[in-house]
Amino acid sequence: METISFIVGLLYQYADTIALLALSAIGLIIIFGMMGVINMAHGEMMMIGAYITSFSYYAGIPTALAVIFGGIGAGVAGMVLERLVIRRFYGQLLSSLVATWGLSLILSQGALLVFGQLIQSVPTPFGSFTVADLSYSYYRVFIFLVALVMIAGLWGLFRFTRFGVRARATMENPRMARALGVDTTRVYALTFGLGTMLGGFAGGLLALTSTIGPFYGMTYTPQAFITVVVGGGAEVVTGLLASVLSLGAIKTIFMNQTNILLGHVAMLVLAFVIIRLMPSGISDWVERRQVRVRER
Amino acid sequence: MSVIQRPLALLVGPQEMGRTWYFWVGFVIVIGVGAAAPQYLGRFDLLNLANFLTSIFLALSLCLIWGFCGILSLGQAAFLGLGGYAYGVAGINFIESHGNTWAALGIGLAVPVALAAVLGFVMFYARLKGVYVAILMLVVTLLFETFLNQTAGQGWFIGDAHLGGNNGLGRFSGVIKRPPSFIFSEGGIKFLGKSYAFFYLTFGLAVLCYLGLRIMVNSKLGFVMVAIREDPERTEALGYDVRLIQLIVFCVSALLASMSGILYVSWGRFITPDVFGVYNNILPVIWVAVAGRKSLTATVIGTLVLVWMSQRLTETDYAFVVLGGILVGAMLLLPEGVITGIVDRSAGLRARLAARLRARA
Amino acid sequence: MPLLEVKNLSKAFGGVRAVDGVDFSLEQGELRSIIGPNGAGKSTLFKLLLGSIKPDKGKIWFRDRDVTRAEPHTRAHMGIGVKFQHLGVYGDLTVRHNMQLPLQHSLSGEAMDAEIARLLERLNLAGTEERRVAELAHGQRQWLAIGMALAMRPVLLLLDEPTAGMGPEETRETGSLVHSVHEEGVTIVVVEHDMAFVRQLGAPVTVLHYGRVFAEGSLAAIEDNEDVRNIYLGASRTMAVRSRRH
């Protein structure tokens, strides 16, 4: 009985950690993988998603739709920022980091000024189930599944759609893509919008499990950054998967045995070990292995 | 060159603005006005000024690695905070009980530098991309904040010092020991946070660090740093171990940032985990980016102006929105920094004017 | 033992094998041109030789030492001097400070000034010491980059497209500079795109194609080689685009 509850608990925790990492990082890693820009305002995009979700919910809109509105709102906000500011910093990675951090400061402090310290949180749907006397939330399992669907959807998007092909061409070689008639400016704008939309969507989903304030997103971004660093920039989907699986595993083990803080520290340490061994991230390493395998 | 001439030549070297006689006249005037501050400033203003001055070390630490060596760190507060905590803990144990300020100072400087050495070794020897270095530093800092926030329990004592969780080190005096100010018993000088002596100490250190860094950036090492900023690959092919130089400069930068932390703690006699938070990390980035990262002089001036301005703005709640706006605006309009931009432009204007005058004559 | 020996050198990026099993050796005092169409792996081979990237497979020996894993700065001190393809100079600094970087390892003060003056004289750059490099003409910057490589007193000099963007007169002067350095006993590898310059050098040629050594021999033999002409013909359109850009 105790073993069962331990194993179920651990699996549940693992799934939950993976969901959290994947949701908070997915938009960030798309933007980084495509344009090499780390969007420091990603947490604020999640915040925008959460705020819109909350406002929509209390305006009487069904929860699912409210979350989707959150995603759309953040996507639009992202495209506006791309147009006004971020576009000017392509190719200057460090400057784009600083500029987006400035945007992050404006957005979070602006939200604080306008809406105050906290806004109304949205109740968690679905209720709970019990295994071996311990109760678990259905919603947490649900967002784990949503995270998986999002990763699969992303894979499909890059693989099968026209936008995906253009995006991959742009990522591989922007100059060549331009020569072949791809409007790379538009691809970048759409990618940035897609990334922030996914961030807003994740923000909306996670908002249903926590309190919401101006600095809501900042609680997720450090882990998201670690996930991106470990995932590397070469192949978005493989990198993200490899990264959330490994980081999620170590965080779960440490959280289960000690506390959340050590879980985070363990993640960071693992990240440093991984970058020491494979400086361009897991996905690049995986890719090189594949080349070697093909050669044999 | 003689022993005296050489450092003087380095002081006015080409890597930093200030190669004219009127720059140095201005410099002497500023020093004079600063040194006389206790004569004309009230106690409160003087205290405030001393606090402003502690920011300069943090700003210079970022200016050095980012502006001169091309390494952006979004987590300089890690070194500031760790320096402050290390000094505070050591101070409670050494200064309070034994009057040993030097040991506390040494520990306050050594701990952050050791952290920089370890992190720098991992990051630079793995040839980690610049963006990764930047955000990993931020993550490290934020983890320090999280860690210290949960040290409120009775188990978190280092010697006599209680880490104190989010109340910080020594917030509640009387019950728990507070970190002490510097006391150099040999000379009988006490640098209490609210004294003139403390102001002079901070002021003197700031001037020394500024001049010392001028010499550093104009030395052989300084040229190599700039070469690395411009192009690491080429610099390696010229026979320089780029990783090692980045590591050394990173450690010097940690040393500077920790000075801010140590002075801050001995000034206010407390420190909380907030020092590791987002604001202490983004503020130096704002100061340096807005002022002009490639110049020590611009950094110092810009930091003082911006710190003064944000203090005025704090009363209105808009401080961080305005600072964020200034940062984004400066990045868009004057990416090399406002002060550097103005100086460069006026130099260009002067050159054009001179050329026109010559043409007429 | 040759001065430089490369065995089965391979490097892949993603799925593309940029350099694929290259064998290559250089005797002390040799002058060699490496040519090949765009994407033949010239730049990757160049970077493998200077050490800024490390091979997936294969070995590099230089002066009887295995330097496959050696860092660029180690190789520089062992005597490999490098001139990069694109602006091998620091535009924000003056000519003097550019020259100072390679020289300050061993010289200082007046000895350094004298050496800077000597090298600049040789590069047709005398009197430009105090000018910012960004103000120099394109060809002058290329020479300065060669000068910085020479200042390291190399045993082996690697030149990546030394005449890129130069007019015919500057190209001719560069050729005689390369010859005069070679006559001093420095071994030189020139990675080049421009066949006219390769002809002027008149040195033995190694042809790369799809990351492999396609042909090797004297200039005359390579020019007569039908297959080499074919691969260049296939690439002639991209060459036209390149020259227009310059």
Side-chain angles (χ1 to χ4, degrees):
Chain A
M1 203 59 176
E2 268 192 9
T3 357
I4 291 175
S5 84
F6 176 74
I7 290 172
V8 171
L10 206 62
L11 280 178
Y12 175 83
Q13 229 177 3
Y14 188 38
D16 193 39
T17 311
I18 288 177
L20 220 105
L21 291 177
L23 284 174
S24 57
I26 189 165
L28 198 61
I29 206 167
I30 288 173
I31 294 170
F32 179 66
M34 288 283 308
M35 340 198 226
V37 171
I38 290 186
N39 177 20
M40 295 294 291
H42 188 68
E44 282 60 42
M45 294 297 129
M46 291 177 72
M47 183 265 289
I48 289 176
Y51 272 50
I52 294 179
T53 302
S54 168
F55 294 148
S56 308
Y57 176 84
Y58 287 103
I61 291 165
T63 317
L65 210 56
V67 172
I68 290 171
F69 282 176
I72 294 172
V76 171
M79 304 242 309
V80 171
L81 291 183
E82 197 275 344
R83 186 73 232 238
L84 293 179
V85 179
I86 289 145
R87 181 167 294 187
R88 307 273 293 273
F89 296 100
Y90 288 144
Q92 312 166 43
L93 301 186
L94 296 186
S95 300
S96 68
L97 214 59
V98 173
T100 53
W101 212 13
L103 293 176
S104 148
L105 193 64
I106 297 173
L107 290 172
S108 58
Q109 293 289 333
L112 178 67
L113 279 178
V114 177
F115 301 112
Q117 281 289 350
L118 276 179
I119 63 163
Q120 268 187 300
S121 52
V122 185
T124 313
F126 299 153
S128 59
F129 61 100
T130 312
V131 178
D133 294 340
L134 287 174
S135 112
Y136 303 99
S137 150
Y138 273 119
Y139 184 69
R140 297 260 173 186
V141 179
F142 171 73
I143 55 173
F144 171 67
L145 296 176
V146 172
L148 293 188
V149 170
M150 276 166 79
I151 295 175
L154 192 65
W155 180 78
L157 178 77
F158 280 127
R159 197 94 207 159
F160 300 120
T161 67
R162 264 169 63 187
F163 168 75
V165 173
R166 285 185 185 150
R168 278 191 301 158
T170 307
M171 183 159 47
E172 191 88 11
N173 187 342
R175 207 182 298 165
M176 183 79 91
R178 264 196 298 280
L180 293 172
V182 175
D183 182 352
T184 50
T185 322
R186 197 154 155 259
V187 169
Y188 283 143
L190 286 175
T191 310
F192 200 84
L194 175 69
T196 55
M197 186 186 83
L198 291 177
F201 187 61
L205 281 174
L206 295 171
L208 271 55
T209 66
S210 69
T211 53
I212 315 170
F215 310 109
Y216 162 82
M218 281 182 195
T219 48
Y220 296 100
T221 39
Q223 313 177 48
F225 289 150
I226 300 180
T227 310
V228 171
V229 170
V230 170
E235 180 77 56
V236 172
V237 178
T238 355
L240 180 63
L241 261 181
S243 177
V244 295
L245 291 179
S246 58
L247 290 173
I250 196 138
K251 188 185 167 195
T252 307
I253 292 166
F254 273 81
M255 253 167 62
N256 194 278
Q257 295 300 315
T258 55
N259 57 34
I260 298 181
L261 174 71
L262 283 182
H264 284 141
V265 172
M267 259 177 31
L268 184 71
V269 171
L270 180 70
F272 273 109
V273 170
I274 288 177
I275 57 174
R276 193 73 189 87
L277 297 177
M278 353 174 189
S280 7
I282 289 184
S283 65
D284 192 48
W285 182 78
V286 172
E287 218 168 72
R288 264 187 291 147
R289 306 271 349 160
Q290 286 166 343
V291 171
R292 254 177 237 179
V293 171
R294 273 205 296 276
E295 278 177 352
R296 284 202 188 112
Chain B
M1 251 183 263
S2 83
V3 187
I4 302 167
Q5 270 175 328
R6 221 179 116 68
L8 278 182
L10 291 175
L11 215 51
V12 293
Q15 302 286 20
E16 180 57 46
M17 62 173 73
R19 309 197 68 188
T20 52
W21 63 266
Y22 45 85
F23 175 89
W24 290 99
V25 169
F27 178 78
V28 170
I29 292 172
V30 169
I31 298 293
V33 170
Q39 306 301 319
Y40 55 83
L41 280 185
R43 201 166 186 75
F44 177 77
D45 288 331
L46 194 69
L47 247 162
N48 229 345
L49 185 59
N51 188 22
F52 285 4
L53 290 174
T54 60
S55 304
I56 285 178
F57 305 95
L58 181 62
L60 286 175
S61 83
L62 185 65
C63 173
L64 180 71
I65 47 169
W66 184 25
F68 285 89
C69 208
I71 307 162
L72 174 59
S73 155
L74 302 185
Q76 284 303 93
F79 304 124
L80 175 145
L82 204 57
Y85 265 94
Y87 163 77
V89 168
I92 290 171
N93 285 299
F94 293 125
I95 304 181
E96 293 256 293
S97 34
H98 304 100
N100 196 343
T101 301
W102 288 113
L105 276 176
I107 290 169
L109 295 171
V111 172
V113 172
L115 176 76
V118 172
L119 292 178
F121 176 76
V122 176
M123 296 191 298
F124 301 133
Y125 279 73
R127 297 186 188 277
L128 203 60
K129 281 184 200 153
V131 278
Y132 287 166
V133 173
I135 59 166
L136 275 177
M137 284 308 301
L138 178 63
V139 173
V140 167
T141 320
L142 297 180
L143 277 183
F144 270 110
E145 186 188 17
T146 319
F147 164 69
L148 285 162
N149 265 323
Q150 49 95 61
T151 56
Q154 282 304 311
W156 293 100
F157 270 91
I158 301 178
D160 288 342
H162 183 225
L163 291 180
N166 55 3
N167 289 324
L169 201 58
R171 221 338 140 54
F172 295 116
S173 59
V175 186
I176 289 160
K177 285 189 176 175
R178 302 174 67 179
S181 304
F182 306 142
I183 299 165
F184 293 100
S185 46
E186 307 96 85
I189 312 168
K190 288 187 177 183
F191 291 98
L192 298 179
K194 293 170 179 57
S195 67
Y196 289 171
F198 181 81
F199 167 78
Y200 281 121
L201 176 75
T202 319
F203 184 69
L205 278 175
V207 173
L208 277 181
C209 280
Y210 168 75
L211 295 176
L213 286 172
R214 281 189 77 105
I215 291 177
M216 180 175 171
V217 300
N218 282 309
S219 69
K220 284 184 180 182
L221 176 66
F223 278 101
V224 181
M225 279 160 53
V226 172
I228 291 174
R229 176 186 80 197
E230 301 287 309
D231 194 322
E233 194 184 25
R234 251 157 240 160
T235 312
E236 278 202 305
L238 293 176
Y240 294 99
D241 190 346
V242 167
R243 305 163 305 175
L244 180 66
I245 291 163
Q246 285 174 324
L247 179 61
I248 292 170
V249 179
F250 196 57
C251 288
V252 174
S253 144
L255 189 81
L256 283 164
S258 69
M259 286 174 66
S260 264
I262 294 171
L263 288 168
Y264 171 76
V265 171
S266 79
W267 177 77
R269 297 195 60 199
F270 74 89
I271 184 167
T272 67
D274 292 349
V275 294
F276 290 101
V278 170
Y279 300 117
N280 264 356
N281 289 301
I282 198 170
L283 282 174
V285 173
I286 295 175
W287 302 332
V288 173
V290 171
R293 64 179 187 282
K294 290 180 184 169
S295 163
L296 300 164
T297 314
T299 295
V300 171
I301 297 170
T303 302
L304 287 175
V305 171
L306 287 166
V307 170
W308 173 78
M309 207 185 77
S310 41
Q311 204 195 32
R312 303 306 302 262
L313 283 169
T314 315
E315 294 145 23
T316 63
D317 287 348
Y318 290 101
F320 283 108
V321 180
V322 173
L323 283 175
I326 290 177
L327 175 63
V328 175
M331 295 294 290
L332 284 171
L333 301 174
L334 287 165
E336 295 294 301
V338 174
I339 297 177
T340 325
I342 291 171
V343 170
D344 281 356
R345 259 157 229 206
S346 67
L349 206 67
R350 264 206 314 278
R352 271 203 301 280
L353 264 174
R356 199 170 296 166
L357 286 175
R358 265 204 309 277
R360 208 171 284 171
Chain C
M1 195 76 180
L3 179 72
L4 176 79
E5 185 154 30
V6 166
K7 277 251 164 72
N8 192 28
L9 206 62
S10 302
K11 177 73 188 179
F13 296 107
V16 184
R17 286 182 219 156
V19 168
D20 189 9
V22 165
D23 294 313
F24 171 78
S25 78
L26 271 180
E27 293 300 329
Q28 174 85 48
E30 220 182 306
L31 172 60
R32 177 84 61 96
S33 304
I34 296 183
I35 64 168
N38 265 345
K42 298 187 302 276
S43 293
T44 307
L45 179 62
F46 180 81
K47 285 183 177 174
L48 286 166
L49 291 180
L50 81 92
S52 65
I53 55 177
K54 306 287 185 291
D56 300 329
K57 274 193 301 198
K59 291 259 176 241
I60 305 169
W61 285 273
F62 178 62
R63 299 172 92 177
D64 302 340
R65 266 177 62 187
D66 181 354
V67 295
T68 314
R69 300 267 137 208
E71 294 298 328
H73 65 97
T74 317
R75 297 188 202 194
H77 286 293
M78 284 178 70
I80 297 185
V82 177
K83 187 251 154 217
F84 287 87
Q85 177 182 345
H86 300 288
L87 296 180
V89 287
Y90 304 98
D92 269 355
L93 302 181
T94 59
V95 171
R96 175 193 297 286
H97 291 129
N98 269 271
M99 291 303 292
Q100 195 178 313
L101 276 165
L103 287 173
Q104 70 181 17
H105 288 296
S106 51
L107 298 175
S108 64
E110 282 165 19
M112 186 189 300
D113 290 343
E115 181 65 8
I116 290 176
R118 190 186 71 81
L119 282 163
L120 291 183
E121 180 77 53
R122 177 161 189 196
L123 299 160
N124 290 333
L125 291 170
T128 60
E129 276 96 332
E130 304 310 327
R131 288 176 63 188
R132 264 180 73 235
V133 166
E135 299 164 3
L136 295 183
H138 182 84
Q140 290 181 308
R141 275 184 274 177
Q142 295 277 31
W143 290 331
L144 179 62
I146 296 175
M148 286 164 76
L150 286 179
M152 293 291 292
R153 297 186 179 276
V155 179
L156 169 65
L157 185 60
L158 304 175
L159 303 173
D160 194 0
E161 304 209 2
T163 63
M166 284 186 179
E169 177 60 21
E170 288 174 326
T171 302
R172 205 187 48 72
E173 283 181 43
T174 308
S176 46
L177 175 66
V178 171
H179 277 299
S180 83
V181 173
H182 179 230
E183 275 155 26
E184 287 173 9
V186 178
T187 311
I188 303 177
V189 175
V190 180
V191 176
E192 199 33 277
H193 205 96
D194 173 15
M195 271 314 286
F197 185 64
V198 173
R199 279 191 202 101
Q200 189 198 337
L201 288 179
V205 177
T206 300
V207 184
L208 287 185
H209 189 43
Y210 287 124
R212 294 166 188 266
V213 174
F214 186 78
E216 202 163 58
S218 70
L219 178 64
I222 291 295
E223 285 204 289
D224 287 342
N225 188 324
E226 193 76 22
D227 296 331
V228 172
R229 277 218 292 273
N230 281 337
I231 63 170
Y232 258 95
L233 221 58
S236 62
R237 201 172 302 149
T238 49
M239 285 180 76
V241 171
R242 273 183 65 89
S243 52
R244 209 177 309 141
R245 208 175 58 219
H246 295 309

